[in-house]
Amino acid sequence: MAGKTEIKVKIAADGSQATLVAPPGLDAALLKPENLIFQVKAAGVLIDQDVERNVAAFAAAYGSGNSERSDIIARSLPAVHGEDGRVEWQQGFDPRPQHAPASAERTDHYQGQHYVPVKTGDTVGMAHGPTGGTDGRDVRSGVLKARSGKPIAIKFHPMLTIDSGGRIIAQADGVLVLKDKELSVTQSLEVPGHVDFSTGNIDFPGSVTIAGGVGSGFKVTAGGDLHIGGLIEVAEIRCGGDLIARGGMAGNGRGRFRVARNVQVVYLEKVVGALNGDLIVEREITDCKLVVGRDLRCPNGTILGGEITVTGALMVKAIGSESYTPTVIALGDVPLLQGAHVKVAKTIEQINTMLGQFAEQARLIKLNPRPSPADKERLTEIAYEASQQNQELAKWATKLSEIETAVRTQRKLDVSVAKMIHPGVKFYIGECVVLFKTAAKGPLWICWDEQRHLMYKTSSGAARPLSEIAQVSRGHSAPAAEGPARAAAA
Amino acid sequence: MRVLVVDDSKTMRNIVKGILGTIGATAIEEAGDGQDALSRVDAFKPDVILLDWNMPVMDGITFVRAYRAKNKTTPIIMVTTEAEKTRVMEAIQAGVNNYAVKPFTPESLSKVIETTMAKAAAKKAA
């Protein structure tokens, strides 16, 4: 008589649970588990072992039926929603803005880089795709649909690839940038403001553009060109391309630069520097120690104080000052190449010494009229090593010859002064020292004649011996090729 | 050109490899003795074998006899300190194609290899 029973099966509207309700005073026969299971099943609830166990427990707990009993006997299996796609960054490659560490650890803020340099082949992170999730079921065995995860919210520029294992691999050297939800590798670094504690030192293999200046104590190293928008203070600048500074550089005797190509700057004050190319300065060069690999052009400015070596032409408005500021300029010298010349010549000497040692070893072995197999093998080794060293020697000899040719072609004397050479200015030209004791008014040109005599010319006349306007003496070496500037050149 | 270099001295193998690098060897396999060479030669399929005479386990002349017994025709150059005429004749009779006596220079060994390869090519063409 199941139809007369007052036992009820209540199912939640969302199918998440089924409750068995039995009023008090029911006949024990009605509460047999098989009867209850029949009713639960009739209500549409899926019967499984859990339900059977819960129903049996319900029947046992009902007991004599003194009070109404209500127990949940079935629960839904909820859906497990999929996870959204995400990127797990490798240590040191997280391009998202970093927050200052909370710890009180000592940190070298000059060294703290706030951009992420990458090299080709670097694995910058792991891409975890979205998961689909697992569907659940309600108490009636209806499907509770799982929600799939969303794709990774980052687009990947072609400079980054994702391999079958999910590794995100850089395909170029540069800086890892996450901007507008796109991850890319840029081959030029842009610093929007100053180089200071907010950026740390900059060391980048490509080109660097700094919108502001470079603060004292910081180092900027760029493998390519370097553009600096503001003042360069007591900083160290190294550049594999051109250095273009929209401001000046005030080095206070400790600011340094080493540039592989040309430098263009508004002014230089108390700077030590060396460059392989041309130096173009808009205004003055004050108290600097410089080695210029090619021409120095400062047509609207003055060179005042310091020691400057110029390999190529010198074009300047004025040199020195009325107050007799000692200003030393070495000309017709190729210090950058001469350094390389010395180095190559030394290498050749070392190889020749080694070849001499091989020859001596071979000679001693050959003194034995019946050399042993070991001697013969050693002679083979010596012959091979000597052959290798001879190949090296030929390579270095070619290099030496190229340097000597370059020294000959780059060495020149071409000085053009538009307005004035003041007293106290000293030129080192080859073996000659030229000291200006009185002012020499421009425009004037200093050059060698065909016999390599030092001459000067004014706009009006023919070439005259330079000794007419300055004291010329022989037998001195240029000091400007020594000291800090030479160190910077090295 | 694929070359099997058989010598118990690693230094000597390196020297020979260095020389082979300058005359266009595309693949070089090394073996430390004759037995080692026999185990590698079929898989490697060299165009020429450079072989030392005096080695532990199996010497060069035993390798030559064992290799030629299998009717293999790959040119073999004996690279050795054994310069006596009787030894040279013994090697030639065993099936060695050419002979380079230590000490050699890179140029002299290169020349022996090139001559041997040219002869082998001519024989093949005929």
Side-chain angles (χ1 to χ4, degrees):
Chain A
M1 301 300 167
K4 293 178 182 174
T5 181
E6 293 179 55
I7 293 172
K8 288 179 182 169
V9 179
K10 291 181 180 173
I11 298 176
D14 60 359
S16 61
Q17 61 184 47
T19 308
L20 195 57
V21 183
L26 288 179
D27 187 83
L30 293 174
L31 286 155
K32 283 184 178 172
E34 54 270 30
N35 284 341
L36 294 174
I37 288 291
F38 179 79
Q39 288 191 47
V40 170
K41 196 172 182 180
V45 175
L46 179 72
I47 306 298
D48 59 16
Q49 286 182 344
D50 284 345
V51 174
E52 286 175 351
R53 192 167 49 247
N54 292 339
V55 168
F58 178 89
Y62 186 78
S64 56
N66 291 331
S67 59
E68 183 181 272
R69 184 148 194 96
S70 170
D71 285 348
I72 296 170
I73 46 94
R75 290 181 193 276
S76 65
L77 182 66
V80 178
H81 298 301
E83 287 182 12
D84 292 345
R86 65 191 169 87
V87 172
E88 183 186 348
W89 301 105
Q90 290 282 353
Q91 193 173 6
F93 288 106
D94 188 345
R96 295 170 298 182
Q98 303 293 305
H99 299 290
S103 72
E105 285 176 20
R106 288 172 69 92
T107 306
D108 182 353
H109 293 284
Y110 287 98
Q111 293 294 342
Q113 290 186 345
H114 300 285
Y115 60 93
V116 181
V118 290
K119 292 199 178 301
T120 306
D122 279 348
T123 298
V124 303
M126 296 293 294
H128 299 282
T131 59
T134 309
D135 289 343
R137 60 167 178 77
D138 64 16
V139 294
R140 296 189 186 93
S141 192
V143 174
L144 297 173
K145 200 73 185 160
R147 192 177 62 241
S148 295
K150 293 175 186 166
I152 296 173
I154 293 175
K155 279 192 288 184
F156 296 95
H157 189 273
M159 277 186 175
L160 294 142
T161 55
I162 302 176
D163 71 6
S164 56
R167 283 181 287 272
I168 306 166
I169 300 166
Q171 299 299 323
D173 293 355
V175 168
L176 195 64
V177 175
L178 179 61
K179 194 175 175 187
D180 298 331
K181 293 186 176 176
E182 186 181 43
L183 187 68
S184 61
V185 177
T186 65
Q187 287 169 307
S188 62
L189 174 67
E190 290 184 18
V191 179
H194 296 286
V195 172
D196 53 21
F197 291 110
S198 69
T199 62
N201 293 331
I202 304 289
D203 186 352
F204 185 67
S207 297
V208 176
T209 301
I210 299 163
V214 181
S216 287
F218 288 93
K219 293 178 188 173
V220 177
T221 304
D225 294 343
L226 173 60
H227 294 252
I228 299 175
L231 175 68
I232 306 165
E233 297 176 32
V234 188
E236 189 176 324
I237 307 292
R238 297 184 82 85
C239 170
D242 293 330
L243 166 63
I244 297 165
R246 302 260 173 249
M249 181 167 183
N252 202 20
R254 288 173 289 122
R256 287 168 178 263
F257 70 78
R258 178 72 181 93
V259 174
R261 284 166 47 183
N262 308 308
V263 173
Q264 193 177 329
V265 64
V266 174
Y267 68 87
L268 292 171
E269 185 186 326
K270 293 185 179 176
V271 170
V272 179
L275 65 152
N276 291 11
D278 296 339
L279 173 61
I280 300 160
V281 184
E282 282 180 34
R283 302 206 309 247
E284 62 284 340
I285 301 170
T286 311
D287 284 334
C288 291
K289 290 181 177 173
L290 305 173
V291 175
V292 183
R294 296 175 77 91
D295 299 349
L296 194 167
R297 295 203 291 276
C298 184
N300 301 312
T302 301
I303 298 174
L304 184 61
E307 296 169 1
I308 297 171
T309 299
V310 183
T311 299
L314 171 63
M315 184 196 289
V316 63
K317 185 177 171 188
I319 307 173
S321 73
E322 288 172 0
S323 57
Y324 212 93
T325 307
T327 305
V328 176
I329 297 175
L331 298 158
D333 193 8
V334 194
L336 296 172
L337 284 175
Q338 280 166 355
H341 186 279
V342 168
K343 205 171 157 185
V344 172
K346 200 173 171 183
T347 306
I348 287 174
E349 193 184 320
Q350 285 168 348
I351 293 173
N352 277 322
T353 305
M354 209 182 292
L355 285 170
Q357 289 167 352
F358 289 150
E360 180 60 14
Q361 284 175 27
R363 191 185 69 80
L364 291 172
I365 294 171
K366 284 174 182 169
L367 286 176
N368 182 355
R370 294 183 63 80
S372 67
D375 287 341
K376 289 175 181 174
E377 296 220 335
R378 180 62 195 139
L379 283 171
T380 305
E381 285 169 29
I382 290 170
Y384 180 72
E385 283 163 9
S387 156
Q388 297 289 98
Q389 291 304 324
N390 273 316
Q391 282 174 24
E392 282 290 299
L393 190 64
K395 210 166 70 185
W396 285 106
T398 305
K399 181 95 182 154
L400 191 66
S401 167
E402 284 169 2
I403 291 171
E404 284 169 351
T405 304
V407 167
R408 276 197 299 278
T409 54
Q410 289 186 25
R411 173 183 284 157
K412 59 183 173 181
L413 178 62
D414 179 7
V415 178
S416 164
V417 181
K419 198 173 171 188
M420 187 77 74
I421 300 177
H422 290 281
V425 172
K426 195 187 271 185
F427 286 107
Y428 286 88
I429 306 170
E431 291 179 344
C432 293
V433 183
V434 179
L435 177 61
F436 284 81
K437 291 190 167 176
T438 55
K441 203 172 173 191
L444 60 86
W445 292 268
I446 299 172
C447 56
W448 279 311
D449 69 4
E450 287 176 358
Q451 287 76 43
R452 227 172 154 79
H453 295 129
L454 287 172
M455 310 296 282
Y456 81 97
K457 279 196 285 188
T458 61
S459 56
S460 55
R464 305 284 306 163
L466 186 60
S467 55
E468 289 182 1
I469 57 168
Q471 178 188 307
V472 179
S473 53
R474 287 185 172 273
H476 297 272
S477 59
E482 304 299 329
R486 169 52 67 89
Chain B
M1 178 170 61
R2 299 170 67 79
V3 188
L4 176 62
V5 180
V6 191
D7 199 309
D8 58 328
S9 160
K10 187 164 176 59
T11 307
M12 202 52 63
R13 292 202 302 268
N14 285 339
I15 288 172
V16 172
K17 275 164 62 186
I19 296 167
L20 289 169
T22 65
I23 58 169
T26 52
I28 301 170
E29 178 86 354
E30 295 177 55
D33 59 66
Q35 190 69 57
D36 190 14
L38 277 176
S39 70
R40 292 169 188 270
V41 68
D42 287 340
F44 181 62
K45 293 185 176 60
D47 297 313
V48 62
I49 300 167
L50 301 186
L51 182 70
D52 187 19
W53 190 309
N54 296 306
M55 293 180 289
V57 187
M58 180 190 282
D59 64 18
I61 199 75
T62 311
F63 168 83
V64 176
R65 288 181 184 126
Y67 187 60
R68 292 297 186 225
K70 296 198 284 183
N71 291 323
K72 300 285 185 180
T73 57
T74 302
I76 299 174
I77 301 170
M78 193 67 98
V79 184
T80 177
T81 57
E82 300 287 350
E84 286 173 25
K85 198 175 173 186
T86 52
R87 301 291 265 171
V88 177
M89 289 311 295
E90 186 185 353
I92 301 290
Q93 279 166 8
V96 164
N97 298 67
N98 214 334
Y99 213 87
V101 179
K102 294 175 186 172
F104 56 75
T105 61
E107 295 76 26
S108 66
L109 182 65
S110 301
K111 199 169 177 185
V112 170
I113 296 168
E114 281 162 6
T115 307
T116 309
M117 295 309 290
K119 274 185 185 171
K123 197 173 173 184
K124 207 172 179 182

